[in-house]
Structures are given as C-alpha cells and as structure tokens.
C-alpha cells in the first residue's frame, strides 16, 4: 500500500484521523522549512516541543500534522492523533522500507560517512534512480524522516547511519535492513558516550545484525578480525581492494586499483579510502566498477570536507565540518604531502571524555613528526597538542582567542602557503575561514 492520503497515515501509525482525508506530499519535522502540502511531525526534543509550532506549520502550508495532542485544525486540513509522534514517524518509515523493491546500502563509521554516502549515490545514479539521506540526516530522527520521504520507485536507497553510543546503529539497521552494509573507518569518536574504542568497534558492528545470506559487508581490512562475517569485501592495505602508486598534488590525487588509474579532483588521502570503499559497494552489487571509474573524477565532496579555496596566492583547505583523532590524522597526512609552506590550524576534538588529553597529545606528536612547517592550536584541549608539539621543537602557537589566532596567522601567511583548517563542529572553525576569505 502506498501512502497517499491522511487515512493511509492513520492506518499505518495506528492513529486517529481528525479533519479531512487529504493527499499529502511528504513529511517534515521543522516548521520553518515546511513545504506546501507536507505533513508536519510534531516531535518533542530536549529544548523544544514541536507541538508548540503546529499552527506555524499550518500557516506555512502544511496540509496536516502528526500530533500527540489535540489541536485546532484549519478548514481543509487534518491531524493524525497518536501516542508517540517519533514512533509514528518510524512506523511510516518501516512501512516504506517493507514495500521497497530496490537495493538498500547502509553506511556507518567513525569518519567519512557522508562523503562515502555521497560518492556511492553519485556513481549509482549512473545505473538507476537513487534516493539518499540528505545532508547528515543520520540520527534516530533523521534516518526515519529520510526513509519516510524516499520515493518508492527508486532503484537504490543510500542511507547514512550515525551513532554516539552502543545500540544506536542496531535501532537504525532494524529499520533500514541494508543489502550492502558498509563501515567506512573505525577510530576514536564520541568516547564520552561510547566509553572506549572497543565500544566504538562493537557499536558500528551492529550494522551487521540481521544479515541474510544475500547481504554483503564492505569493511576496512584492519577491522576484519573484529567481526564474524561470511560475505565481506575488504578495502585498504592488505584488503581485497587496495590503492597502489598514489600521487598527490594540490589539484588532485591519483592512484591505481586493479590496474585502473583513478583520479580524484580533491587531493585527500581520506577521499582515496572512501573511493576504495565505494568500489567495494559497487562490487557487492554486482557492477563492473571499472566502467564507472571515469566518473570518479567528476565527484565533488560536500561542503567543509577538504574543500580547496585559492585566495591571494594562498591555498586554504576547508575541512571544518568536524574532527576526531582518525580524521585529523588523515587530514594532516594529506597536508604533509603538499608543496609550499604548510600550516595546520586545529581546533579541539570534542566528546573524547577521559581520553581527551591522550588523543590531543597524540595530535601534537603527529604535527611534530609530519612534514608540516607550522601548527596553530585553538581551544582548551588543544593545549595538550601544543605542549607536545613544542616538546619536539616544532614551530607552533596556541590561544583560546580566535582574534589572537587570526592576528598571528596573518603575520605568517605568504604566497605559496597551504593552510589546513580543521576542528570539531562545536569549535566553529569556519569562522577562521570567513576572516581569511571575506
């Protein structure tokens, strides 16, 4: 049964239809972004209650709402009354998944999820119609909302699933039921809530729960021993899919896989790994990936993921979206391969809990040992990276003030400088970028 009307929603959710049985055009949880003809799902959050914005959603064009409270319904519109609006959204998503006839790819991991999801979707779009989770909608709300809005006539659904503690991926994979189950990378992430690296490994490994004999896993070779999987394609050093003879310039990275030369328009070692992972997915789906390899040069990552900006003789690497030890190391290794005067500007890696000092110290050690000319550290936790870097005699600077960092940085910039900017989302590292490019 396709979900076409308010009556269909009420049936699937086990809710009560109030108002008119109208057709609708999708679901939204944000009254500010609601589109004409959509259904507003009123969710309760830690800071806001969506029920407070129901009338605003109606005024913006919502044709109906899913609510756990009785509300005034404008003429020609409807409400579906349920006990739990988030559960109702999940039931809608479950219904959509149950009736989907195409292939589903589920993507988890400590780094590179969004970029890998985007690359998989980009290449599969050459083979058929694709729906993908928008932006980084990878949460317990974002995934069911995405699936509820996916078109059922697609050939592929590509779904990113996030986790901050054990059990998160399990809940999502029970909904998504992927045919190809992907781990992009494993490293230290969200340790405040995961607890330790072992929990990160096991938490991401929940993506393999409920696998059937027809399903495939695509995983980094270095974590293969952590999981008991019968049908797996591994990538990376020693894996089924490996990169050979890579070469990085400020314009691109090139490497060979199974005798085929691949060129990517972004000079990033992390993107090379994401590409190997994507090749694994194409193989799992039965495609000849080599036929699609010329399109890889056309792929552009999403914003704030190793985007290159040229400005007044400088090359700025905007990698400001987020940071954890794994992604920082990959970014620093990539920076070290550039020509020119190389500067790393790093902000705190948040949510590392009791391990924060250890991993920030490790960052300082990487900065000192890699071929990077100068390192600037911003934030309370990056003091440990600074102290370690200084211990090795490296040119480095630390401050808690963005203004001080900018002032110091501008005194160091010269033509031919390559500047990497990276830090956790909460550090708002993009503000440095704006100061340099506006």
């Amino acid at each position: 049964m396709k979900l076409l009307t308010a009556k269909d929603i009420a049936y699937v959710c086990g809710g009560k239809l109030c108002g008119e049985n109208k057709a609708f055009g999708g679901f939204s949880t944000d009254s500010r972004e609601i589109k004409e003809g959509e259904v507003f799902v009123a969710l309760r959050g830690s800071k806001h209650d969506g029920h407070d914005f129901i009338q605003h959603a109606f005024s913006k064009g919502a044709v109906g709402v899913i609510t756990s409270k009785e509300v005034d319904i404008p003429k020609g519109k409807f409400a579906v009354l349920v006990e739990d609006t988030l559960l109702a959204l999940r039931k809608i998503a479950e219904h959509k998944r149950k009736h989907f006839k195409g292939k589903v790819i589920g993507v988890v991991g400590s780094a590179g999820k969004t970029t890998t999801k985007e690359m998989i979707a980009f290449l599969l779009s050459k083979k058929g119609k694709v729906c993908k989770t928008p932006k980084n909608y990878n949460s317990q709300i974002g995934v069911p909302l995405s699936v509820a809005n996916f078109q059922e006539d697609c050939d592929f659904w590509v779904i990113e699933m996030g986790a901050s503690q054990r059990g998160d991926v399990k809940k999502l994979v029970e909904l998504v039921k992927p045919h190809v189950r992907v781990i992009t990378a494993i490293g230290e992430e969200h340790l405040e809530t995961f607890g330790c690296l072992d929990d990160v490994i096991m938490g991401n490994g929940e993506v393999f729960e409920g696998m059937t004999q027809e399903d495939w896993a695509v995983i980094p070779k270095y974590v293969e021993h952590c999981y008991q999987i019968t049908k797996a394609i591994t990538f990376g050093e020693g894996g089924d899919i490996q990169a050979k003879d890579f070469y990085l310039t400020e314009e691109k990275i090139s490497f060979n896989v199974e005798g085929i030369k691949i060129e990517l328009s972004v000079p990033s070692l992390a993107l090379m790994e994401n590409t190997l992972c994507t090749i694994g997915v194409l193989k799992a789906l039965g495609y000849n990936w080599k036929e699609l390899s010329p399109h890889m040069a056309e792929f552009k990552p999403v914003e704030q993921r190793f985007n290159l900006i040229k400005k007044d003789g400088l090359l700025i690497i905007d990698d400001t979206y987020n940071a954890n030890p794994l992604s920082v190391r990959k970014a620093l290794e990539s920076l070290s391969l550039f020509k020119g005067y190389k500067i790393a500007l790093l902000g705190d890696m948040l949510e590392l809990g009791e391990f924060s000092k250890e991993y920030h110290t490790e960052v300082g050690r990487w900065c000192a040992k890699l071929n990077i000319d100068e390192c600037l550290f911003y934030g309370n936790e990056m003091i440990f990276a600074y102290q370690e870097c200084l211990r090795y005699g490296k040119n480095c600077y630390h401050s808690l003030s963005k203004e001080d960092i900018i002032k110091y940085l501008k005194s160091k910039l010269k033509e031919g400088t390559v500047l990497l900017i990276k830090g956790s989302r909460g550090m708002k590292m993009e503000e440095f970028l704006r100061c340099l490019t506006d």
Side-chain angles (χ1 to χ4, degrees):
M1 180 187 92
K2 286 190 175 181
L3 296 177
L4 300 174
T5 67
K7 189 175 180 181
D8 299 333
I9 296 176
Y11 175 77
V12 169
C13 295
K16 177 185 176 183
L17 174 61
C18 306
E20 298 191 23
N21 183 30
K22 303 283 287 187
F24 66 94
F27 301 90
S28 176
T29 58
D30 190 336
S31 65
R32 298 165 298 182
E33 298 180 2
I34 198 91
K35 295 183 178 66
E36 189 79 28
E38 286 186 332
V39 175
F40 176 64
V41 186
L43 300 178
R44 285 191 176 92
S46 57
K47 295 181 179 178
H48 302 289
D49 185 347
H51 293 84
D52 296 334
F53 304 98
I54 285 176
Q55 295 307 321
H56 181 247
F58 276 135
S59 71
K60 294 275 286 186
V63 70
V65 298
I66 298 176
T67 172
S68 60
K69 297 179 180 179
E70 292 189 1
V71 296
D72 294 329
I73 306 168
K75 185 177 179 180
K77 302 196 177 189
F78 69 85
V80 174
L81 188 62
V82 298
E83 288 188 10
D84 184 328
T85 53
L86 180 56
L87 180 59
L89 179 62
R90 185 178 173 99
K91 285 180 177 179
I92 292 166
E94 288 171 346
H95 179 86
K96 291 286 286 284
R97 175 63 186 93
K98 181 179 179 181
H99 291 85
F100 180 57
K101 303 302 182 185
K103 293 294 185 181
V104 180
I105 300 92
V107 181
V108 304
S110 301
K113 292 187 294 296
T114 301
T115 300
T116 304
K117 177 255 299 182
E118 292 290 332
M119 179 176 269
I120 293 168
F122 174 73
L123 292 175
L124 286 180
S125 71
K126 313 301 178 185
K127 289 294 184 180
K129 187 175 180 180
V130 180
C131 278
K132 61 184 181 180
T133 43
K135 303 177 185 176
N136 64 328
Y137 281 28
N138 61 18
S139 68
Q140 302 297 323
I141 295 172
V143 171
L145 178 62
S146 299
V147 173
N149 282 320
F150 281 170
Q151 298 169 13
E152 293 172 339
D153 63 347
C154 281
D155 300 291
F156 310 101
W157 287 356
V158 187
I159 301 172
E160 177 184 341
M161 296 177 285
S164 57
Q165 59 189 350
R166 289 183 68 167
D168 284 353
V169 170
K170 182 176 186 293
K171 292 175 189 173
L172 294 175
V173 84
E174 287 171 352
L175 163 63
V176 171
K177 295 180 172 60
H179 300 100
V180 182
R181 300 161 185 242
V182 179
I183 292 180
T184 57
I186 291 291
E188 301 81 5
E189 58 161 338
H190 301 298
L191 294 183
E192 277 186 347
T193 46
F194 263 120
C196 64
L197 184 56
D198 284 347
D199 285 329
V200 174
I201 293 169
M202 300 314 295
N204 281 280
E206 292 167 1
V207 73
F208 305 125
E209 293 199 14
M211 283 184 74
T212 70
Q213 292 182 339
E214 290 75 34
D215 298 339
W216 280 93
V218 179
I219 57 175
K221 176 64 177 178
Y222 61 83
V223 293
E224 181 185 27
H225 66 283
C226 299
Y227 309 111
Q228 293 182 327
I229 311 165
T230 54
K231 289 177 66 176
I233 297 172
T234 61
F235 63 90
E237 186 175 352
D240 300 318
I241 305 164
Q242 301 183 55
K244 303 286 187 181
D245 306 320
F246 79 86
Y247 180 71
L248 185 148
T249 71
E250 68 175 48
E251 302 292 337
K252 65 183 180 181
I253 186 170
S254 62
F255 51 96
N256 291 314
V257 178
E258 298 175 5
I260 299 294
K261 185 177 181 180
I262 296 172
E263 290 190 351
L264 304 175
S265 61
V266 177
S268 162
L269 294 174
L271 185 58
M272 182 174 73
E273 290 289 312
N274 300 155
T275 304
L276 300 181
C277 181
T278 300
I279 290 171
V281 172
L282 296 173
K283 282 190 168 191
L285 290 170
Y287 292 116
N288 181 356
W289 71 269
K290 296 178 182 180
E291 294 178 358
L292 293 168
S293 61
H295 294 292
M296 293 176 181
E298 303 164 12
F299 175 73
K300 303 291 185 186
V302 292
E303 291 183 354
Q304 299 178 300
R305 273 87 163 182
F306 224 85
N307 296 133
L308 303 186
I309 301 166
K310 293 184 178 180
K311 176 79 172 177
D312 301 330
L314 309 177
L315 180 62
I316 303 172
I317 303 171
D318 174 12
D319 205 19
T320 56
Y321 179 72
N322 215 342
N324 59 32
L326 176 65
S327 66
V328 169
R329 180 165 190 167
K330 280 292 181 186
L332 290 171
E333 287 174 346
S334 296
L335 174 65
S336 72
L337 297 173
F338 280 73
K339 295 179 180 178
Y341 190 78
K342 297 176 281 286
I343 300 177
L345 169 52
L346 303 176
D348 287 351
M349 304 177 295
L350 304 177
E351 299 182 43
L352 291 175
E354 63 182 285
F355 301 98
S356 184
K357 180 179 180 180
E358 174 186 344
Y359 289 120
H360 282 87
T361 300
E362 193 170 50
V363 166
R365 192 153 51 247
W366 297 335
C367 287
K369 292 186 175 182
L370 288 168
N371 182 28
I372 297 170
D373 297 290
E374 190 153 3
C375 300
L376 282 62
F377 302 105
Y378 167 65
N380 292 312
E381 299 302 304
M382 275 295 168
I383 186 66
F384 303 116
Y386 167 71
Q387 290 169 348
E388 183 71 0
C389 197
L390 196 63
R391 194 171 70 84
Y392 280 85
K394 194 83 167 186
N395 289 332
C396 53
Y397 179 80
H398 174 267
S399 179
L400 301 178
S401 163
K402 280 191 170 81
E403 292 75 16
D404 288 350
I405 293 274
I406 286 292
K407 183 178 179 181
Y408 180 86
L409 179 60
K410 286 183 175 180
S411 72
K412 295 290 182 175
L413 294 178
K414 55 189 178 183
E415 189 168 342
T417 297
V418 182
L419 171 65
L420 167 70
I421 307 177
K422 188 170 183 63
S424 279
R425 184 89 299 274
M427 300 304 292
K428 300 180 179 179
M429 300 298 287
E430 65 275 9
E431 292 178 359
F432 288 109
L433 186 66
R434 284 197 289 270
C435 289
L436 294 170
T437 57
D438 285 351

